[in-house]
Amino acid sequence: MVRNIVVLGGSSHPQLTQTICNHLGVAPANVLLDKFSVGETRVEIKESVRGKDVYIIQSGGGKVNDNLMELLISISACKTASARQVTAVLPLFPYSRQSDIPYNKTGAPLSKASNCFNKPDFPYILDSLPQTPHPDHAQSAGLTNGIDGLHKGLSKIQLDESNSASSSPQNARFASYVNGPHNRPETSDSGKSTTYFDRQKNGSTSSLGNGTAKDENNGTKSNNSKSNVFQPQPGYKQWVAQAGTLVADLLTCAGADHIITMDLHDAQYQGFFDIPVDNLYGRPLLKKYIQYQIPDFQQAVIVSPDAGGAKRATAIADGLGMPFALIHKERRPTKISDRQNATMMLVGEVTNRTAILIDDLADTSNTITRAAKLLKKEGATKVYALLTHGILSGDAIDRINASALDKVVVTNSVPQDEHKRRCSKLEVLEVGTIFAEAIRRVHYGESISVLFQYD
């Protein structure tokens, strides 16, 4: 039994809360979670948390926005009630897939330039021109007079100005104030500089550094080179909100002192917090399932459904001494008639072998079902899908039932009772014991690195 601890369960996953409390030997806290008729969230803690360590368990599945608001109000209520420390336990972190905003190669969120395959509504960019030569861009013509002519002209002007200032210092000092800032004084240096540039431009125009020319007779401006003048173009792409940073700030401002989660979709999410974040891994559960539940697993192949999960899949493959394959999403246009697999390409060999797909999250299950069809097409005998977070929203269950997947293994980081009832291919692994052990070790100040030991 763990003393001086309060485990408060949210409304997102009551079964997981009960499993954690049973492992710790404590009863769930008495808390009222309700909604007003207008839809506002109501949280009322009906027992004392003064001076205690409070662990609030709330997953990010289901009604994500309602669960997040309930979590924030619960954290604030515990801090107001003088809790010593408040830890948010999030088996599935909400908004974990919105950790960053999309940037193009130039580093700014601007719309992409149009090409033969991409025709957006605003096919413009705001890059500075002329720019550094790029393989996709033609090299700019540069200055009309050449760089040597520019240096000579600047040297000539500086020399003339120094001579004029030495001969008449008072005129050089007060000329701009007498004639006004926009009218240059008719001095000898102006005439000399004009003569030089007139000689360069056949006496008609004066070359300037910004690509325009000024006529001496009428003072009008004309383009020096039509091809090199930058034309301002509309089409600035709308800014995309950084929901990941916002959620991190909300949890911190609400009063959370510590975050415990599992298999963040993007590891950089931990850097958004100013408080400790423990990112547990579901990898040991998946490895144990492969070892004890898949027959002749040494001859199977670990497959990553996309390049983003390659590191996760190779860690399991290396730990078990199994071969590895990768499915590459080919996004270039193609004329292949089989459009279902036209954008996916297998890198590796799965013929007459069992293929095991490894991924951290499945929402609509579109990726894993398409990957399973490709693997069966390439000669795989069986296809397993091992996932840490099985959100399975929308028509994901129907898609899995009609797919080439033989079995889908997920953890109960989100409720799976309804999913398991509708899908006979689904198998659920328990993660409550892992979170309970992490809570116990954090409460007593012990290291949780043992939870990262896979071998």
Side-chain angles (χ1 to χ4, degrees):
M1 179 178 177
V2 182
R3 299 182 181 275
N4 200 31
I5 186 175
V6 174
V7 178
L8 192 155
S11 59
S12 63
H13 203 338
Q15 295 86 354
L16 183 62
T17 303
Q18 190 62 48
T19 302
I20 293 175
C21 290
N22 292 340
H23 187 81
L24 295 175
V26 298
N30 187 11
V31 59
L32 174 63
L33 303 174
D34 199 3
K35 283 186 177 296
F36 292 102
S37 59
V38 72
E40 296 179 356
T41 301
R42 177 189 179 190
V43 177
E44 183 179 348
I45 301 174
K46 295 188 174 182
E47 64 179 70
S48 176
V49 296
R50 182 180 296 273
K52 296 182 179 180
D53 292 342
V54 180
Y55 294 85
I56 304 176
I57 302 170
Q58 185 81 302
S59 188
K63 299 179 180 179
V64 180
N65 297 327
D66 291 342
N67 295 337
L68 177 60
M69 183 56 63
E70 183 180 277
L71 173 64
L72 296 175
I73 296 175
S74 301
I75 294 173
S76 179
C78 293
K79 294 297 288 188
T80 305
S82 301
R84 189 177 74 90
Q85 185 176 2
V86 179
T87 300
V89 182
L90 301 164
L92 171 61
F93 200 96
Y95 289 88
S96 61
R97 288 183 290 177
Q98 300 187 41
S99 57
D100 200 358
I101 58 178
Y103 285 91
N104 61 7
K105 295 181 179 179
T106 58
L110 305 176
S111 58
K112 296 168 62 178
S114 62
N115 51 50
C116 57
F117 306 118
N118 175 29
K119 296 292 184 182
D121 295 334
F122 299 102
Y124 305 111
I125 59 175
L126 298 179
D127 294 337
S128 59
L129 297 175
Q131 59 184 1
T132 303
H134 190 270
D136 297 334
H137 298 85
Q139 187 173 0
S140 59
L143 296 174
T144 305
N145 298 329
I147 193 66
D148 295 335
L150 177 63
H151 288 323
K152 292 180 180 179
L154 292 176
S155 302
K156 179 71 174 178
I157 293 174
Q158 293 176 358
L159 181 60
D160 294 341
E161 287 180 351
S162 61
N163 295 335
S164 176
S166 62
S167 61
S168 180
Q170 295 296 330
N171 293 336
R173 178 178 301 178
F174 296 107
S176 61
Y177 297 96
V178 173
N179 298 326
H182 298 288
N183 298 324
R184 291 191 61 185
E186 296 296 328
T187 58
S188 60
D189 60 335
S190 176
K192 291 181 179 179
S193 61
T194 303
T195 303
Y196 171 80
F197 283 107
D198 287 344
R199 202 163 53 243
Q200 295 291 332
K201 297 296 295 181
N202 298 324
S204 60
T205 59
S206 175
S207 176
L208 300 179
N210 58 358
T212 62
K214 183 177 180 181
D215 195 342
E216 294 284 32
N217 298 326
N218 53 19
T220 60
K221 294 182 178 181
S222 60
N223 291 332
N224 187 21
S225 177
K226 295 290 184 180
S227 61
N228 294 330
V229 176
F230 172 73
Q231 298 294 335
Q233 300 169 344
Y236 193 81
K237 186 177 180 180
Q238 292 183 356
W239 286 89
V240 182
Q242 284 184 285
T245 307
L246 175 62
V247 172
D249 293 340
L250 287 173
L251 289 171
T252 305
C253 294
D257 300 298
H258 192 185
I259 302 293
I260 299 177
T261 185
M262 174 176 281
D263 275 352
L264 283 171
H265 186 69
D266 197 340
Q268 70 171 342
Y269 218 110
Q270 301 177 69
F272 296 160
F273 288 92
D274 296 329
I275 57 177
V277 178
D278 288 328
N279 182 26
L280 305 178
Y281 297 141
R283 201 178 305 165
L285 286 176
L286 303 183
K287 288 181 63 176
K288 186 176 295 185
Y289 181 87
I290 294 174
Q291 287 177 310
Y292 295 101
Q293 299 298 328
I294 298 180
D296 198 14
F297 70 92
Q298 293 90 349
Q299 303 301 321
V301 181
I302 299 293
V303 183
S304 176
D306 52 26
K311 185 177 180 180
R312 184 184 307 107
T314 51
I316 296 179
D318 294 341
L320 297 176
M322 300 171 60
F324 169 75
L326 172 69
I327 294 180
H328 172 62
K329 291 183 179 179
E330 186 70 28
R331 301 188 182 276
R332 290 181 296 181
T334 180
K335 295 182 179 179
I336 300 178
S337 58
D338 188 4
R339 300 184 61 84
Q340 185 70 11
N341 291 317
T343 60
M344 304 185 77
M345 179 178 62
L346 177 65
V347 182
E349 182 62 37
V350 297
T351 305
N352 298 326
R353 289 187 175 186
T354 299
I356 304 174
L357 288 166
I358 302 292
D359 207 352
D360 65 325
L361 184 146
D363 188 2
T364 61
S365 301
N366 187 45
T367 300
I368 60 172
T369 53
R370 294 179 63 189
K373 182 176 180 179
L374 176 62
L375 292 172
K376 282 292 184 71
K377 187 178 179 180
E378 294 292 335
T381 56
K382 284 189 177 182
V383 179
Y384 291 79
L386 274 62
L387 314 166
T388 303
H389 306 296
I391 302 176
L392 306 180
S393 62
D395 58 348
I397 295 297
D398 297 333
R399 187 177 286 113
I400 290 175
N401 289 330
S403 69
L405 288 166
D406 295 290
K407 187 175 287 293
V408 178
V409 182
V410 299
T411 67
N412 63 336
S413 59
V414 295
Q416 301 289 349
D417 294 339
E418 181 65 20
H419 299 158
K420 194 172 182 180
R421 184 185 63 83
R422 295 176 52 197
C423 182
S424 59
K425 300 179 180 180
L426 194 64
E427 188 169 345
V428 182
L429 304 179
E430 180 63 56
V431 295
T433 55
I434 297 179
F435 281 101
E437 182 63 18
I439 291 174
R440 189 193 68 80
R441 288 178 174 272
V442 170
H443 179 66
Y444 286 118
E446 301 176 7
S447 174
I448 65 170
S449 60
V450 66
L451 300 177
F452 303 140
Q453 303 293 331
Y454 311 121
D455 300 329

